[in-house]
Amino acid sequence: MSPHAELVSRLRAAWLSGKTRPMEYRLAQLEALGRFLDEKKQDILEATAADMRKPPFEVEVSELSICRSELNHTLNNLGAWMKDKHVEKNWATQLDSAFIRKDPYGVVLIIGPWNYPINLLLVPLIGAIAAGNCVVMKPSEITRNVERLVAETLPRYLDEDCFAVVTAGVEETTRLLENKFDYIFFTGSPSVGRIVMTAAAKHLTPVTLELGGKNPCYVSDSCNVQNVARRVAWGRFFNAGQTCVAPDYVLCSVEMQEKLLPALREAITEFYSPNPRESPDFGRIVGDRQFQRVQALLHSGHTAIGGQTDAGERYIGGETGAGADEQRRLLRQRHHHAHDDPLTALRRHWAERPRPLPRSFQLRNLLAPAVRAASRGRPGDPQHPALPALRPAPPPAAPRRHRDQAPGHLPPPLSPAAAIINTPFRFRFRLRFGPAPPPHAGPIAAPPNPPSSPFPVFSPPPLPSPEASGQ
């Protein structure tokens, strides 16, 4: 039995009790999370600095401010999000009340990454609390100081009956995934994402996988070189390059490469001084294993800028490489052809990218099978059988006059759309007034029908005039 089964069962019992459903409860938990961000700000800065030597400005921009913005947006809109959304009704639901109601999933598992350990753990938590779920949080074990801070302090602010923090390594996380969760939110690598999705498939648990990828940056010859260099340097070396959406490589012409390399050198010097190792704005690699992997990649090609390393500090200078050998080595997982021109390489990479999600479902696939057009030949040939004959459309019904209307007055005709919608579902009845018809010995003859009407029409007898009735 999984060691976390009792924890998951306790949280599920709390959710089934309906404790997390009232809006007042959700608002109280969200406000408590806001107090955690305000009161533990200095502790968060110290923990991220100890793990990655992340500058305070980067922590404020990429961790705390994003969480506060998400929290304020949720607090301002939670009441509107919880309301039922009334939708239009069709002919089958005319007698019903049709609306969409947002119900919580249940017990949610959030597995956070190490590159942004506060942001990518608390932002999914905000959404889970707002939706009325119970949550099991699992911070990354690689950022040990942030993991310890979250495990020791966050449960003091939230309801311990509905929210829990689990500290676990790879093996413990694998056993944690054996439990049945109602939703799993994972941020990390595609290799671990496959493990998470395999474990979720056993229980048919829906998942959100925020996986890393490769991010090409195409630079055309008409771009402003200085602006491109500053933007690429900021995006690449923010958080020491440990960002899933940072530009991985640049696709450009040889002429642009000769202009871009000096501009990148100037931008790196402007941002991090001539010696980035002494700059307080340049972070460090998170762990020894990650440092060794990046260091090994530096020896696979020509390093044009930087490339200095220090294993003791896990420091790798702002490096920029160039050359086909480096492309073959660094892009071996990107299906990139090093000798293609930049636009061809970008199109090839986009066409061969992994597609983890299925194609969007289209309603027209349910309506009729696809009709394949003949490439040659005509209908009636042996290889092209004749098409089935079409049935002629019935003649349009002549408008009928109400008995109280004048002979020359006709109601306005219906529009084609209204006629198509209303005609099949309009049942028309005609009642006959007066004595019953005498019995017939033979078969009853059908009453005459107007040639232009598909429905039988029975005209009632004329009403007596006031003079004949004596009134």
Side-chain angles (χ1 to χ4, degrees):
M1 186 177 182
S2 175
H4 305 288
E6 183 179 355
L7 172 64
V8 176
S9 300
R10 178 170 58 84
L11 267 62
R12 191 177 304 280
W15 178 76
L16 291 174
S17 66
K19 186 177 183 179
T20 62
R21 289 180 175 269
M23 185 176 66
E24 294 77 14
Y25 178 86
R26 306 183 194 186
L27 292 175
Q29 299 302 309
L30 292 173
E31 292 173 355
L33 187 59
R35 292 194 301 270
F36 166 79
L37 293 173
D38 295 337
E39 297 176 4
K40 298 300 179 181
K41 175 181 177 179
Q42 187 61 33
D43 296 337
I44 294 174
L45 294 176
E46 295 175 359
T48 52
D51 287 330
M52 307 171 64
R53 194 177 165 181
K54 185 177 289 191
F57 173 76
E58 291 188 1
V59 178
E60 181 66 35
V61 171
S62 62
E63 304 274 10
L64 300 178
S65 63
I66 294 179
C67 292
R68 293 196 193 97
S69 177
E70 186 76 12
L71 189 62
N72 294 333
H73 180 68
T74 304
L75 290 172
N76 293 333
N77 296 275
L78 181 58
W81 294 344
M82 292 182 62
K83 292 181 180 179
D84 295 340
K85 180 181 178 181
H86 293 271
V87 296
E88 296 182 358
K89 297 181 288 186
N90 56 19
W91 66 271
T93 59
Q94 287 297 320
L95 301 180
D96 303 328
S97 57
F99 57 92
I100 299 175
R101 175 168 295 172
K102 295 90 172 178
D103 281 333
Y105 277 96
V107 180
V108 177
L109 173 63
I110 300 176
I111 303 177
W114 50 262
N115 56 346
Y116 293 95
I118 298 296
N119 172 10
L120 296 179
L121 182 70
L122 297 189
V123 169
L125 175 63
I126 293 171
I129 294 175
N133 298 283
C134 294
V135 184
V136 176
M137 291 164 283
K138 193 275 169 190
S140 176
E141 72 279 3
I142 298 178
T143 51
R144 300 178 181 177
N145 295 278
V146 175
E147 179 190 33
R148 186 184 309 110
L149 173 65
V150 172
E152 294 178 357
T153 60
L154 185 57
R156 304 175 188 174
Y157 292 84
L158 301 178
D159 186 0
E160 295 184 358
D161 294 335
C162 302
F163 306 97
V165 179
V166 174
T167 57
V170 177
E171 298 180 0
E172 293 81 0
T173 304
T174 304
R175 290 196 294 268
L176 176 63
L177 289 170
E178 296 176 358
N179 297 275
K180 183 184 184 305
F181 292 94
D182 300 300
Y183 202 98
I184 298 177
F185 192 102
F186 169 77
T187 304
S189 63
S191 59
V192 182
R194 294 186 182 94
I195 299 175
V196 173
M197 196 167 188
T198 302
K202 297 179 181 179
H203 305 285
L204 297 179
T205 301
V207 297
T208 293
L209 304 179
E210 185 186 359
L211 309 179
K214 304 304 176 184
N215 310 300
C217 178
Y218 173 70
V219 182
S220 67
D221 294 336
S222 60
C223 292
N224 187 309
V225 180
Q226 302 300 327
N227 290 342
V228 170
R230 291 170 62 88
R231 293 170 182 175
V232 171
W234 177 85
R236 175 68 267 180
F237 302 116
F238 188 89
N239 196 26
Q242 302 169 109
T243 306
C244 59
V245 293
D248 286 307
Y249 55 102
V250 174
L251 300 173
C252 64
S253 63
V254 178
E255 293 77 10
M256 175 55 67
Q257 177 181 335
E258 296 176 354
K259 302 176 184 178
L260 188 58
L261 286 177
L264 282 172
R265 186 179 291 106
E266 295 178 4
I268 295 174
T269 302
E270 178 186 358
F271 291 165
Y272 304 107
S273 76
N275 187 9
R277 178 182 300 181
E278 304 298 332
S279 174
D281 300 323
F282 196 84
R284 297 296 185 264
I285 304 301
V286 67
D288 296 333
R289 185 172 64 87
Q290 289 78 9
F291 172 83
Q292 295 172 4
R293 181 180 62 84
V294 177
Q295 187 181 34
L297 295 176
L298 294 178
H299 303 290
S300 61
H302 169 64
T303 303
I305 304 173
Q308 302 84 7
T309 62
D310 187 347
E313 295 184 7
R314 301 194 303 275
Y315 165 77
I316 294 181
E319 68 279 359
T320 302
D325 292 338
E326 184 186 14
Q327 290 180 359
R328 294 191 185 95
R329 175 68 184 274
L330 300 183
L331 308 180
R332 63 186 181 275
Q333 297 178 353
R334 304 167 190 167
H335 308 284
H336 172 65
H337 292 208
H339 298 287
D340 288 341
D341 61 275
L343 276 178
T344 303
L346 181 60
R347 295 191 187 101
R348 185 188 302 275
H349 166 70
W350 182 255
E352 298 177 356
R353 72 193 189 280
R355 297 175 175 86
L357 298 179
R359 293 179 59 188
S360 58
F361 182 79
Q362 297 179 358
L363 181 61
R364 66 184 182 190
N365 297 334
L366 288 180
L367 301 181
V371 179
R372 182 176 300 176
S375 58
R376 60 176 63 91
R378 297 180 178 178
D381 296 344
Q383 298 180 355
H384 302 275
L387 298 177
L390 298 177
R391 298 178 59 184
R400 290 187 297 275
R401 177 177 57 87
H402 194 267
R403 67 187 184 203
D404 295 335
Q405 292 177 344
H409 177 78
L410 294 177
L414 293 175
S415 63
I420 293 174
I421 295 175
N422 295 330
T423 300
F425 307 106
R426 178 176 295 175
F427 301 96
R428 307 182 181 184
F429 299 94
R430 294 293 184 268
L431 300 179
R432 183 179 179 87
F433 299 92
H440 296 272
I444 301 177
N449 297 331
S452 59
S453 175
F455 299 96
V457 178
F458 301 94
S459 300
L463 297 177
S465 61
E467 294 80 3
S469 60
Q471 298 179 356

